[in-house]
Each structure stands twice: as C-alpha cells, then as structure tokens.
Amino acid sequence: MTIRVWNYLDEYEDERADIMDAVETVFESGQLVFGPSVRGFESEFAEYHGLRHCVGVDNGTNALVLGLRALGVREGDEVVTVSNTAAPTVVAIDQIGAVPVFVDVRESDFLMDVDQVEAAITDRTRCLLVVHLYGQCVDMDAVQAIAERHSLPVLEDCAQSHGARQGGRLAGTFGSAAAYSFYPTKVLGGYGDGGAVATSDDGTAAALRRLRYYGMEDRYYVVGTPGHNSRLDAVQAEILRRKLTRLDAYAEGRRRVARRYEEALADTGLLLPRTAEGNEHVYYVYVVRHPRREEIMAELKSYGIALNISYPWPVHTMSGFAHLGYSEGALPVTERLAGEIFSLPMYPSLPPERQDLVVKALRDVLATS
Ligand SMILES: *Cc1c(COP(=O)(O)O)cnc(C)c1O
C-alpha cells in the first residue's frame, strides 16, 4: 500500500453511518435543490463564525468569483494578492477580467508579506484578496489598517483555513467577505465539490444570492447583473452540516498529527512549519522545506510514500498566466519556496502507525542524504 498525504477512506470508515444517513435524509426530503439541508448548513456555518450570512455555492473557485463580483470588482480592476497560492485564487480573479497584482510572501511562514501591499495599490485597485494559506491566517490587523486607509474591501480566501484563528478570532470574520471551498481534502470537506461565501453585510449577501442563481431575485426574473449557476448541492450541504459539528475536533486532530511530527523530526535538518504569533494553525497541509527536496521525495517513493508539493509552480510563472507579464525573479521568496517545499501526510484520521512509518523513512533518508 502506498502512503499518501491524504486518504478520505480512513475518515469514511469512522463516519460512514452518518454520511450515508445524510445522503438518505436529502433523498427522502422531497427537495433535491436548495431545501432544508442547504438552508440549515448556511445558517449553521454563519452561526459558527458569528457572521450574519452564508451563501452556499458549487465550489471554492466560484466562491471567489462571486465574492469578488459581489464586492464590486469588475473587468480591468486590480486585485492585490499572492502568487504563492493554489492556482484557483488567481483563476477566479482572471475569470472576471480583473488583474491580479502579486506581492511576495514571508520567509518565516510563507504567508502574504503585508508590508509590500501598500506599494502595490494603484488607483485601479478594487480589492485585497488575502489567502490564509496552509491553515493559518495572514496578519489581519495590518491588512485591515491598509484596507481602511485606502477604502478597499478585503476578501479572505479561507479554502485552507476552516476553523483557524488569530487572536482568538476565526478566519473569515476579519474582512468584508470570506470564500470557502469544501473540496474533499479541505479541513471541512464534503464528499464532492462545494463552497460558500460568508459575510455580515446584508447588501453583499443579497448580491451573492442573486449571483449564484443566474442573477435572479425571484424565480425566472433576472435583475441587476446576469449571474452564474453556482448552487451548493443539497447532499453535500447535509454532509457538511454533520461534519461542521466536528470541525473543531478535526482541527485539533490535525494539530495532534503536527505535534507528533514536531517531536519526531525536530533534529533532522528539515525546516518544519512555523505558526505566526497569535495564530491557531489548522494544518490543511503540513509543509516542510529542504534544499534537496527532489532527492528526498524520490527516495521516499521506494518506501512506498508518495508525497505532494503545495505548490510546485508559483502562479505568476505558469504559461497560462504569461499574459500578466511577470518574469522569473519577480517574487524571489515565492520562487525559492516552490523549489524546496513538500508536504507530509496530514489529516485527522491518519493512523499513528502510518505516521510512524513516514517519520522513520524520513529519518533514514535525511540521515544519508
Ligand atoms: C482549494 C482552493 C481553492 C479552490 O477551491 P475549489 O473548491 O477546488 O474550487 C481556492 N483557493 C485555495 C487557497 C484553495 O486551496
């Protein structure tokens, strides 16, 4: 058996009865679209965050697209963000014809270097899109101060940070709106695609509800701007409702796995993830760094361990984003990281004996490389 960074079957073994009951609940409800499961999940997810609204959508990428549109971002507008992220963050900006403007990340935690943001703002900037990457928050006091000074809305990409906190406050509750993905690997993941946008602003929420439903306010009548078909599936909503009650336990389980890595790998020369001050990390991925990444990953394969890289290419260097006009060297920290990082198996139901195999193999490989 190959050991991978993520395997939902370990969770499914524990939660099968609840998951299948959720499926049956929807199939027997007589309402396959929207209905009580979607409404229930939306209100419970908003309540978990202490926010007024949650609007379920079909995936995290569209949560970003709709979030940007609801916050007033249009074609030609600039959105300040990072290149050290999952490509969908940038795909979403590009999809509405807006222009991503990248700042670099910090060496210490690989998160947005907020000190660079102000210099990236121009009179065409319409939004700051922060990414709480890997499971911990960008310095939001600093972001909010800049946003207020320039009267800009802040959209939080929370696809990797469900349940993460900063200064005791949950990710997603700092900005004007927050976009979530419930893709199966995520800290709160469904058994298929899903997403949501959360906000406390009534007008933004109303815009989001129209935008996910063709642009309709009531059935069959499009008002304002034509929208998308971007509904959260009811089966996923019902599964997510059940899993939301376990979100804090999932996060704690991930921290438990992280602590075991810390204890077992501290003296190996591998650079382990650092939690920024004031942050509570949820370890969506456990990203380590080593200059001889390729060798290490290749050797681990012979132990039956297949690791991932999140992410091997900075977005601004991808040919699909050549039209943005960035050249190599533009974002030195981001580019350096991409060549040295890799991820260890991380999910709350990772069996300890399988984690031990990974640790043992890594220690062997690092002792000889
Ligand atoms: C997963 C992810 C997305 C996209 O979510 P999908 O549900 O796959 O569309 C966006 N941003 C980040 C940071 C992600 O990790």
Side-chain angles (χ1 to χ4, degrees), residues 58-64 84-90 92 131-134 157-161 179-186 192-195 284 311:
D58 57 347
N59 59 61
T61 308
N62 284 336
L64 289 163
N84 187 43
T85 182
T89 307
V90 185
V131 185
H132 302 314
L133 197 73
Y134 304 150
D157 183 340
C158 292
Q160 305 194 355
S161 58
Y180 295 85
S181 165
F182 307 119
Y183 182 76
T185 60
K186 308 292 186 184
D193 281 304
Y284 166 59
Y311 297 91

Side-chain angles (χ1 to χ4, degrees), residues 47-340:
E47 192 182 331
Y48 173 84
H49 289 90
L51 295 169
R52 287 169 55 82
H53 308 280
C54 165
V55 178
V57 298
D58 57 347
N59 59 61
T61 308
N62 284 336
L64 289 163
V65 170
L66 270 57
L68 289 166
R69 287 192 65 185
L71 293 175
V73 179
R74 303 280 175 266
E75 196 176 339
D77 291 343
E78 291 177 358
V79 176
V80 177
T81 192
V82 287
S83 172
N84 187 43
T85 182
T89 307
V90 185
V91 169
I93 298 169
D94 194 75
Q95 211 153 89
I96 54 180
V99 182
V101 175
F102 299 119
V103 298
D104 212 345
V105 293
R106 308 195 288 199
E107 278 295 341
S108 57
D109 52 21
F110 314 166
L111 296 172
M112 175 184 257
D113 184 350
V114 182
D115 290 342
Q116 298 185 20
V117 168
E118 207 142 29
I121 293 174
T122 72
D123 54 7
R124 289 197 301 159
T125 307
R126 284 294 166 274
C127 187
L128 307 181
L129 202 180
V130 301
V131 185
H132 302 314
L133 197 73
Y134 304 150
Q136 67 172 330
C137 292
V138 172
D139 180 355
M140 289 309 289
D141 278 348
V143 169
Q144 288 300 109
I146 295 168
E148 272 163 38
R149 208 151 47 232
H150 296 268
S151 302
L152 290 169
V154 174
L155 180 60
E156 295 176 68
D157 183 340
C158 292
Q160 305 194 355
S161 58
H162 318 70
R165 289 172 187 268
Q166 182 167 86
R169 236 170 111 175
L170 279 165
T173 65
F174 296 91
S176 321
Y180 295 85
S181 165
F182 307 119
Y183 182 76
T185 60
K186 308 292 186 184
V187 179
L188 179 61
Y191 281 66
D193 281 304
V197 191
T199 180
S200 276
D201 185 78
D202 296 348
T204 305
L208 287 164
R209 289 187 191 285
R210 282 194 303 273
L211 284 168
R212 73 154 170 198
Y213 189 56
Y214 316 110
M216 292 176 187
E217 198 126 82
D218 294 307
R219 274 173 95 179
Y220 308 138
Y221 195 89
V222 174
V223 288
T225 352
H228 308 247
N229 174 5
S230 179
R231 291 183 287 260
L232 174 60
D233 181 77
V235 172
Q236 299 308 328
E238 186 60 33
I239 291 171
L240 290 165
R241 250 181 123 170
R242 318 280 181 109
K243 291 190 70 176
L244 177 60
T245 65
R246 299 186 282 272
L247 172 55
D248 291 333
Y250 295 141
E252 189 44 47
R254 287 172 179 271
R255 285 190 287 268
R256 191 183 337 112
V257 173
R259 280 194 297 271
R260 294 187 88 231
Y261 279 133
E262 265 158 51
E263 282 159 22
L265 298 171
D267 58 343
T268 54
L270 205 58
L271 195 65
L272 304 180
R274 273 179 278 179
T275 304
E277 207 185 313
N279 273 355
E280 225 174 290
H281 209 309
V282 293
Y283 296 100
Y284 166 59
V285 277
Y286 192 85
V287 175
V288 299
R289 184 174 178 184
H290 198 285
R292 287 194 305 280
R293 187 236 349 246
E294 303 304 328
E295 273 170 67
I296 295 167
M297 285 184 69
E299 285 193 47
L300 285 171
K301 270 205 186 124
S302 65
Y303 289 79
I305 298 169
L307 301 181
N308 267 12
I309 302 170
S310 298
Y311 297 91
W313 301 282
V315 177
H316 70 282
T317 65
M318 296 178 183
S319 66
F321 290 107
H323 59 283
L324 298 177
Y326 284 83
S327 46
E328 256 181 74
L331 301 164
V333 181
T334 297
E335 290 167 32
R336 224 166 23 243
L337 287 178
E340 298 184 357

